[in-house]
Structures are given as structure tokens and as C-alpha cells.
Amino acid sequence: SRPRSIDLISDVSDPFIIENIHALTDCLNTAGATGHITAAVRSDIRSSYIELDEGFRANCYIDDFFFEHVDSFSMESCKVVVVDGKIIDVSEIHHILQSSYETKQEYLIIATGMSDDVSNTLFVNWQQGKTRVIPFYIKDDVVNINEIKDISVSCGVLPCTNDSGIRISSIDLSNIPTCKIEYSLTKSSSSLRIIPPRAATPAISKLRLEIREKMRDCKVDDVKELLQSRISKFSLRNVTLNLPGEYSAQGILEDKLSSFFSHITRCSNQGI
């Protein structure tokens, strides 16, 4: 059957939705079928606007040695090395430093920790302009229990782990695909975004499907929220609708938008 069409404004009675219908439809068009949309109420703006963040947002933070010396930056062709464990000896990363020094290749090392000796070595070489290798750490939090896996899938790499036998000191750096990295630093927060290489797309799609299946079978609300958070990070197109108002209205706004987007989803499922 042919898809039917509706007039969103005549089909919705909520004054808030009617007032912001154009911004909401812009969000839908910007996010696309696999995007993720959130909203924020801000008292420091007078009119609404849309922000688009592309890529996977990793829950990790930059090494303390680098924190006060690194502003926001972007790496167009960066290789990401993911380590499920702590890096103790400088010898473990010698080949990465050597590669960066000889080829000027940019690297990110994302691990669960590093010794001060390793951190200091990376920082001194970076500060002197010899290498471009910057370390980040996974945040130690229950919500990050799958962060190593998710980051690895986003970068198209296999993590270095004791269980798999893949060691950081012996990985073939030539087999690591490059991806775009964006690090944003503000007065109140920082964020690291990974724009996945094209080769990672099939693995990302497969993981999204696996997470959706787990959500359907899950009966615990807290676990479902964690799964929803994971899948939203894999949307890769994250749209934020900023609306003027007081922060106390954030909860009401989220309820209204949840109802609106559920309505859109039902319409889509009916071929409208």
C-alpha cells in the first residue's frame, strides 16, 4: 500500500509541540533514521538552535600530564590503540613512539591506566614535538563496563588484552585503520569523539542489532537504560535541540519530546 501523509501541526494538540514543530522536524531531518536526538533547556539563550555532534563519544579523559597543556584539537588521520589494562613499562609503547617519530603518524592510546613513567615519556616527546601520541583513560564507572569493546568497534580495531593474547608491544601498527578524532575542552567539561573508518560500519551495525535484541529481552529498567545509552552513542549523528528556559523545566521537556517522538515512530510503523 502507498504511504499515507499527515499534517503534524493539525495532528498534535500540545501548544509546546506546535510552537516548536519546525525545530523538531529539523532535528528529525538532521539526525536521519539512525541518529539520536536530545534536548536541553538553557537560560542563557533567547531562541532555539540545533547542534550536531558526529561520531562515537568515548567515556574517557585525557592523561593528567597533558590536561593543562592541550586545548581542543582535531586529528584527521589518527590511529587508535585500545588497551584493556594498565601500561607499566615504556618498552611496551616504544614501537608506537618510533612510528610516530619516523612517519609523523598521529596516535591515541586509550587504556585503563598508565604508570607515571609511561605518561611522562609520552608527554616529554609530545611537548618537544618529536611525536604525536596522546593517552586517554577509560572512566572507572559501572556504565563503562562495555566501553573497551565499544571504542574498539568504533575504531575498527581489536583491543590489547591478556585474554586474547594481543599485546600492545607486538601489535602490527600498519594494520590499524585511521579515523578522525575530535577532542573538545570547555571550562566545565571535555569530550572525545571518534569518527569511525568506513571499514568499521558493518561491525557497528552488527553490535547495534545485538544491543537492540538485549533491550527487547531485558526486564530490568536500570539495565535497559544502560543499553539505551550504549546504542545512542552508536547513532553517530547526535542532535541536540537547545531551547530557552529554566533548567527546572528539563524533566517536563523530556516527557513532551518522548511522547512526540513515540508518536512519530508509531506513524512510521504504520507507513505514514
Side-chain angles (χ1 to χ4, degrees), residues 78-247:
C78 179
K79 292 192 175 188
V80 181
V81 178
V82 184
V83 183
D84 187 5
K86 186 174 182 178
I87 304 172
I88 304 298
D89 298 320
V90 176
S91 60
E92 297 179 74
I93 59 166
H94 175 74
H95 61 311
I96 299 176
L97 290 169
Q98 189 73 16
S99 172
S100 183
Y101 176 75
E102 293 178 351
T103 67
K104 305 306 178 184
Q105 173 64 53
E106 298 172 322
Y107 286 94
L108 235 63
I109 299 178
I110 299 179
T112 56
M114 290 184 187
S115 66
D116 286 347
D117 190 26
V118 173
S119 296
N120 183 63
T121 299
L122 289 172
F123 175 69
V124 170
N125 279 274
W126 172 84
Q127 191 178 45
Q128 294 177 353
K130 294 180 179 179
T131 61
R132 183 71 167 171
V133 185
I134 301 180
F136 281 81
Y137 304 137
I138 303 291
K139 293 181 178 179
D140 185 14
D141 197 309
V142 66
V143 299
N144 293 329
I145 190 170
N146 294 293
E147 195 68 13
I148 289 286
K149 178 180 180 179
D150 292 349
I151 291 176
S152 299
V153 170
S154 297
C155 299
V157 300
L158 293 174
C160 301
T161 66
N162 290 330
D163 293 338
S164 66
I166 302 175
R167 298 183 179 278
I168 185 174
S169 58
S170 59
I171 55 174
D172 187 348
L173 300 177
S174 64
N175 288 334
I176 298 178
T178 60
C179 52
K180 183 177 180 180
I181 297 295
E182 293 183 347
Y183 176 67
S184 176
L185 177 65
T186 64
K187 291 182 179 180
S188 58
S189 64
S190 64
S191 67
L192 179 69
R193 290 194 174 274
I194 301 168
I195 313 299
R198 188 179 299 274
T201 301
I204 291 174
S205 298
K206 180 181 178 182
L207 184 55
R208 280 172 56 91
L209 181 60
E210 291 175 358
I211 298 173
R212 287 191 184 279
E213 290 175 349
K214 290 180 180 179
M215 287 179 62
R216 283 195 294 266
D217 297 336
C218 182
K219 305 298 182 183
V220 182
D221 289 341
D222 289 347
V223 176
K224 289 183 73 172
E225 288 181 7
L226 290 176
L227 291 171
Q228 180 59 53
S229 176
R230 280 185 74 193
I231 203 167
S232 67
K233 290 170 64 179
F234 277 110
S235 297
L236 305 184
R237 290 181 66 83
N238 296 281
V239 179
T240 302
L241 173 60
N242 294 280
L243 296 166
E246 296 300 322
Y247 181 76

Side-chain angles (χ1 to χ4, degrees), residues 42-86:
R42 297 181 51 179
S43 59
D44 60 334
I45 61 175
R46 294 186 177 182
S47 59
S48 61
Y49 68 94
I50 293 174
E51 287 181 301
L52 172 63
D53 289 319
E54 296 187 270
F56 177 88
R57 182 168 182 171
N59 283 333
C60 52
Y61 59 96
I62 197 167
D63 184 281
D64 288 344
F65 279 77
F66 288 77
F67 179 73
E68 294 184 355
H69 301 273
V70 176
D71 294 322
S72 301
F73 65 82
S74 177
M75 294 178 172
E76 292 293 332
S77 298
C78 179
K79 292 192 175 188
V80 181
V81 178
V82 184
V83 183
D84 187 5
K86 186 174 182 178

Side-chain angles (χ1 to χ4, degrees), residues 22-33 37 237 239:
H22 295 298
L24 293 170
T25 52
D26 283 346
C27 286
L28 289 169
N29 291 328
T30 302
I37 301 172
R237 290 181 66 83
V239 179

